[in-house]
Amino acid sequence: MFNLFLAVFPEIFIINATFILLIHGVVFSTSKKYDYPPLASNVGWLGLLSVLITLLLLAAGAPLLTIAHLFWNNLFRRDNFTYFCQIFLLLSTAGTISMCFDFFDQERFDAFEFIVLILLSTCGMLFMISAYDLIAMYLAIELQSLCFYVIAASKRKSEFSTEAGLKYLILGAFSSGILLFGCSMIYGSTGATHFDQLAKILTGYEITGARSSGIFMGILFIAVGFLFKITAVPFHMWAPDIYEGSPTPVTAFLSIAPKISIFANILRVFIYGSYGATLQQIFFFCSIASMILGALAAMAQTKVKRLLAYSSIGHVGYICIGFSCGTIEGIQSLLIGIFIYALMTMDAFAIVLALRQTRVKYIADLGALAKTNPILAITFSITMFSYAGIPPLAGFCSKFYLFFAALGCGAYFLALVGVVTSVIGCFYYIRLVKRMFFDTPRTWILYEPMDRNKSLLLAMTSFFITLFLLYPSPLFSVTHQMALSLYL
Amino acid sequence: MDTAICDIRRAFVFFFPSAYRDMSRFRSLLQASVNATKKAFTWNIEEWVPPPERYIFKFHSKEDLKKWHLYSDSEYGGLSSASLEIPDGGKGSDGTGIFSGNLSVDLSEGSKLNISRSGFCGMRSKKFDGFIDLDGYDAIAMRLRGDGRCYISTIYTENWVNSPGQTEDNSWQAFVFAPKDRWYTAKIPLARYLPTWRGNVIDVEMEMNPGRVLGMSLSVNAEGGAVGAKSGAGDFRVEIDWIKALRMP
């Protein structure tokens, strides 16, 4: 029997945890008796615990999900796709929160609201993934984005960081506005906002002769709004500035969690809701442009965080290849690509956070790493090689499957551009590795050892990246199931 | 062969004058992108980071002096005066700038603007279209020979929370001690610059954004300064050779 309460339990729990942690933080951090303690680490651990409990509640609700259920006036839907996607999102959030604890200590960052906002935005992302209506989708996107706008500007002392937060606010608000405009045009032209109804109206609409410019513009605007949010080219303008100016844990969050949930929404809206050739051209162009720009612009970068920003733009291009195909294989390759991208990005940002204390801002500062901290240098190299797509690492598997899917549906040019830009990308990733291992350092920087959370996270993610090739079938079958349940 | 190409070019310019302008712009663009690609492909590590030190201002010729303008309290009714010059010592590029003048703490009668503290002079770099990018540097170095007074070095950064009509930029100030009669390189870490507003230090912990520096200034006050430095009204004179940005290893 379908029990609504049990289905929504993860979200209920995480919202309650957010409020309880907020009250706990306010009461204790302003209490004179305890001498106004900084509660960022405290609330951080409790927040991590609540994310893991939410994950448990979600994962243990599995027997309900063999059949898809719509709930709350049909605004949300829980099926296999949302199940696995939400588990993946919660795992990424837990990993990223665990990276932040050292940052709180060393920067003397005493705003516990950081964690509360992250939990709230995680709840927004859970809703985003299970949204099944344009209104629900928009509300969840706004809940998630608003929290991120605030934490992107959390380093208030520095004007540079505040500028990055302001740019993120403008970019996000503008893209939400465009998205909402598209939703309203679709509602105006069709009278429907629910994805089931939209699927019946919009699927293949351009060949049934029922063309309407309102629908076309609506779909176009929604696509542009989504592309802004995943910072695909040509809508990527401020992304490197935002990534560079925000505090590093926030950059880590920005590049992992919203991308997972926005891609889930893209899949829902465009694969289920309005499947057609309208968008294939847009996403084709955007993925080609993202791959090319990501490869070429990253070559000229001298700062580590900007390099990671451009490489994430490039990776979004590869992942959009999977979307442009429109086949089940394409969706499956997109999901595999997102999963491996999230792991690699967590790896990369954990390393950047570990090196941050020793003032590594420029790539050239990495020179002494191989001699003073060889294990970290090897881990960094594994991550960079995986980004470059070198076998036998996980990045190669994801790119291989993406290009395979593109070839399978006849998008030969896409696969060709992908391969060429991968090779160009190899150049600067290998240049980083060369810098670490084979160049004499400019100045000898002594790297401090990292804390236990980051080292555990790095161990787990690099273990996965290295050994994924040996046993890829669980991920392949999970993503296949997700892709199938998207269509059914 | 050469003359044939010259003829073709001349004919092209004659028939399509605007196209020639666009062609040269296109050619310069092409040259710039070829250079950038070549730079990206070299393994030369030195180009990856900004150089460890970099000149911001030099005081070697009259052209360098044109970038600065002087101000003093005489605009507000005081009686101080200042001048900035390079003495013609024969060799053209060997001079050093001399900032000198007279400080007076008296206010002239009948001035409309009442200021509470008088006796300051300074030289400020003129505003230009663009920024001085000091991102990656963490200290300012100045080569000075002074008269034992304590000078104030100011960095102006862009202020983007101004209300309309207010043109003042963020100013960050630090004391520089110029010892008497010997050349001295003063190194001031950027962290020592304090945010100020209209002469008073703001008691807030703020981080400067060194990527958006609009200008610098060197000024002298009749009162205040470090213990042991000369202060008070009277003449002042400081010679400056250059101002550089440094990165401490």
Side-chain angles (χ1 to χ4, degrees), chain A residues 157 159 302-303 361 431 435, chain B residues 40 45 48 135 170 207:
Chain A
K157 289 185 309 190
E159 209 175 73
T302 52
K303 295 189 195 162
K361 191 163 79 158
R431 187 173 70 172
R435 174 70 191 144
Chain B
I45 220 69
W48 287 20
D135 194 20
N170 286 337
E207 246 177 59

Side-chain angles (χ1 to χ4, degrees), chain B residues 9-191:
Chain B
R9 249 203 198 168
R10 232 176 285 139
F12 187 67
V13 170
F14 180 74
F15 284 115
F16 305 105
S18 62
Y20 186 67
R21 252 180 291 129
D22 294 333
M23 280 284 284
S24 61
R25 209 182 305 154
F26 172 69
R27 203 177 303 136
S28 66
L29 203 65
L30 191 66
Q31 195 65 29
S33 39
V34 163
N35 278 344
T37 321
K38 258 192 242 168
K39 217 166 75 137
F41 271 98
T42 56
W43 293 108
N44 199 3
I45 220 69
E46 273 69 40
E47 285 164 3
W48 287 20
V49 281
E53 41 179 67
R54 177 194 129 171
Y55 277 105
I56 312 179
F57 293 108
K58 288 190 205 172
F59 292 89
H60 295 160
S61 69
K62 296 269 190 295
E63 290 302 316
D64 299 324
L65 288 192
K66 286 212 180 83
K67 291 190 206 149
W68 296 81
H69 79 89
L70 298 165
Y71 64 90
S72 71
D73 58 12
S74 54
E75 297 155 21
Y76 302 100
L79 294 171
S80 313
S81 63
S83 75
L84 175 66
E85 63 204 358
I86 289 185
D88 286 324
K91 299 171 246 183
S93 66
D94 228 15
T96 55
I98 301 183
F99 175 54
S100 58
N102 179 288
L103 286 173
S104 145
V105 288
D106 306 317
L107 289 167
S108 68
E109 298 295 323
S111 65
K112 292 203 201 76
L113 300 156
N114 286 344
I115 51 174
S116 49
R117 294 174 295 179
S118 169
F120 59 89
C121 297
M123 58 185 215
R124 180 178 171 156
S125 68
K126 288 188 182 150
K127 275 207 175 163
F128 62 99
D129 210 11
F131 302 107
I132 302 173
D133 188 4
L134 299 183
D135 194 20
Y137 297 103
D138 49 16
I140 301 276
M142 290 192 229
R143 191 152 170 78
L144 304 167
R145 176 161 70 170
D147 55 353
R149 276 189 190 262
C150 220
Y151 291 83
I152 295 175
S153 157
T154 315
I155 296 182
Y156 296 99
T157 55
E158 189 196 19
N159 184 342
W160 43 271
V161 291
N162 262 341
S163 39
Q166 186 178 296
T167 53
E168 291 188 43
D169 305 308
N170 286 337
S171 70
W172 302 77
Q173 296 186 324
F175 281 118
V176 184
F177 178 63
K180 198 170 166 69
D181 288 339
R182 64 181 169 86
W183 282 105
Y184 170 66
T185 309
K187 293 194 191 81
I188 316 151
L190 285 182

Side-chain angles (χ1 to χ4, degrees), chain A residues 254-439:
Chain A
L254 279 182
S255 45
I256 302 172
K259 294 212 161 74
I260 301 174
S261 39
I262 298 271
F263 267 114
N265 265 332
I266 289 179
L267 288 176
R268 279 269 196 237
V269 173
F270 296 128
I271 296 293
Y272 183 72
S274 64
Y275 188 80
T278 313
L279 290 166
Q280 197 180 23
Q281 294 162 358
I282 305 173
F283 274 88
F284 245 77
F285 170 70
C286 287
S287 79
I288 292 176
S290 299
M291 290 190 284
I292 292 178
L293 183 95
L296 293 180
M299 272 210 287
Q301 296 309 313
T302 52
K303 295 189 195 162
V304 180
K305 272 165 82 168
R306 282 187 91 96
L307 178 74
L308 285 176
Y310 277 110
S311 72
S312 95
I313 291 177
H315 230 91
V316 159
Y318 292 116
I319 294 173
C320 283
I321 294 181
F323 177 75
S324 312
C325 303
T327 57
I328 294 211
E329 258 177 7
I331 311 298
Q332 191 185 353
S333 63
L334 185 155
L335 293 166
I336 293 174
I338 276 270
F339 185 77
I340 293 178
Y341 163 75
L343 284 172
M344 292 193 303
T345 312
M346 268 200 281
D347 212 329
F349 275 103
I351 295 176
V352 171
L353 272 171
L355 295 175
R356 192 192 49 83
Q357 212 28 41
T358 48
R359 296 198 322 158
V360 170
K361 191 163 79 158
Y362 290 95
I363 295 174
D365 290 334
L366 287 171
L369 195 59
K371 296 176 183 65
T372 54
N373 200 339
I375 306 246
L376 188 60
I378 292 177
T379 315
F380 200 22
S381 315
I382 289 176
T383 315
M384 290 294 115
F385 282 142
S386 180
Y387 263 115
I390 295 185
L393 300 171
F396 164 72
C397 293
S398 78
K399 280 191 185 169
F400 174 70
Y401 202 58
L402 281 161
F403 298 148
F404 194 63
L407 288 175
C409 85
Y412 302 113
F413 184 61
L414 213 52
L416 177 69
V417 170
V419 170
V420 169
T421 52
S422 280
V423 172
I424 297 178
C426 270
F427 164 71
Y428 58 85
Y429 289 125
I430 295 182
R431 187 173 70 172
L432 265 178
V433 176
K434 180 221 182 232
R435 174 70 191 144
M436 281 192 289
F437 281 93
F438 299 111
D439 276 343

